[in-house]
Amino acid sequence: MARHSGGRGWYGKVVGAALGVTMLAVGASVYTAQADVSGAPQAGASAKPAAVKRVSPTIAHASDAGPRGVNITIDDGPDPRWTPQVLELLREEGVKATFCLTGIQAQTHPGLVKEIVADGHVLCDHSVSHDTSMDRKSEAYQSKEILDAERVITEASGGVRPLYYRAPGGAFTPHSRAVAASRGMRPLGWNVDTKDFEQPGADSIVETVQRELPNGPTILFHDAGGDRAQTVEALRRVLPWLKEQGYSFGFPVR
């Protein structure tokens, strides 16, 4: 799985700007401290995290729609400019997708998180700050990024929990996968990397999907982190093409 790092400097700026409004490092730290890798509260915790069912810690790629199923996954949002355009396009095509949200963006735009859920899409934890080097940091840091994002996304959605965890840039570790799985979030990979965050042009994005789809059903797009006009245009062309090829749309296996 390729590591994504290019074009991600915007998250450092967002993190800095969000420090004054986010409670991720304070209130959420209580939540983090209450859960270890097994999902059980640590000794002395005053409250337990919500009960959830542990899932497999292996990285999912397959689709629950079967051998001709595809999973549309949308990362890094929600974004007030691009997410509404993506949602409208998905509505027009009758397609459900998996939205991998960062904690900071979810906290900043809770109305969009609720709109995603209302449209029947599913949520994925994409960490708090989209740190693509988190696999090289402490296990405590990894846990906090995952668990704080889970809490904030759940609150922003009005109580709907993320069902998956996608490591920023694919920076999974055995520990991060175990933490996510203990909270009922299946680690989520991808098979088709559209490279849309590099803004290669809508034609290139479409061609990448058509060329790499035999690699597997999970396709990676982005709705934040920069100008996503090319992504929107590519989706406008890719979704009908997939239908013409006889594919159906599903969610990643759990």
Side-chain angles (χ1 to χ4, degrees):
M1 183 181 298
R3 179 183 295 273
H4 287 200
S5 58
R8 293 301 196 266
W10 74 286
Y11 264 102
K13 298 177 182 177
V14 171
V15 171
L19 287 177
V21 297
T22 183
M23 67 290 198
L24 300 178
V26 182
S29 64
V30 176
Y31 179 93
T32 302
Q34 292 169 357
D36 61 15
V37 174
S38 68
Q42 293 182 349
S46 59
K48 295 181 180 180
V52 293
K53 183 178 179 180
R54 182 186 295 270
V55 295
S56 171
T58 60
I59 299 174
H61 294 89
S63 175
D64 66 6
R68 294 295 289 178
V70 294
N71 307 319
I72 302 298
T73 65
I74 314 288
D75 283 22
D76 294 3
D79 178 272
R81 180 175 182 183
W82 303 110
T83 302
Q85 295 184 45
V86 171
L87 287 173
E88 179 59 30
L89 182 56
L90 293 171
R91 289 186 201 111
E92 292 173 359
E93 294 294 336
V95 172
K96 305 303 180 185
T98 302
F99 281 79
C100 298
L101 312 179
T102 70
I104 287 174
Q105 293 297 102
Q107 185 183 38
T108 305
H109 307 291
L112 286 175
V113 180
K114 291 179 177 66
E115 187 174 350
I116 289 168
V117 170
D119 278 6
H121 307 295
V122 299
L123 304 178
C124 171
D125 178 331
H126 201 33
S127 81
V128 170
S129 61
H130 201 280
D131 182 354
T132 58
S133 66
M134 63 184 287
D135 57 333
R136 298 192 288 271
K137 297 183 178 177
S138 72
E139 291 185 349
Y141 176 87
Q142 295 175 42
S143 295
K144 185 170 178 58
E145 281 282 312
I146 296 166
L147 296 175
D148 286 1
E150 178 201 358
R151 185 187 67 84
V152 170
I153 291 168
T154 302
E155 289 181 355
S157 71
V160 178
R161 299 184 59 257
L163 299 183
Y164 308 92
Y165 166 66
R166 174 173 276 167
F172 287 104
T173 67
H175 177 76
S176 68
R177 290 189 290 107
V179 168
S182 76
R183 296 295 300 156
M185 297 182 290
R186 181 76 184 267
L188 176 59
W190 62 80
N191 306 106
V192 180
D193 183 355
T194 65
K195 300 291 180 69
D196 61 337
F197 64 90
E198 295 180 351
Q199 299 184 15
D203 288 347
S204 177
I205 297 169
V206 172
E207 290 167 3
T208 297
V209 173
Q210 294 173 339
R211 181 181 66 251
E212 296 188 7
L213 193 56
N215 294 339
T218 301
I219 309 174
L220 172 61
F221 296 96
H222 297 81
D223 64 344
D227 187 329
R228 294 290 167 247
Q230 295 176 7
T231 300
V232 173
E233 176 57 28
L235 279 167
R236 194 181 308 279
R237 293 154 56 181
V238 162
L239 298 179
W241 177 83
L242 288 168
K243 292 177 182 179
E244 291 168 2
Q245 303 304 306
Y247 288 99
S248 57
F249 299 90
F251 298 118
V253 294
R254 292 264 296 155

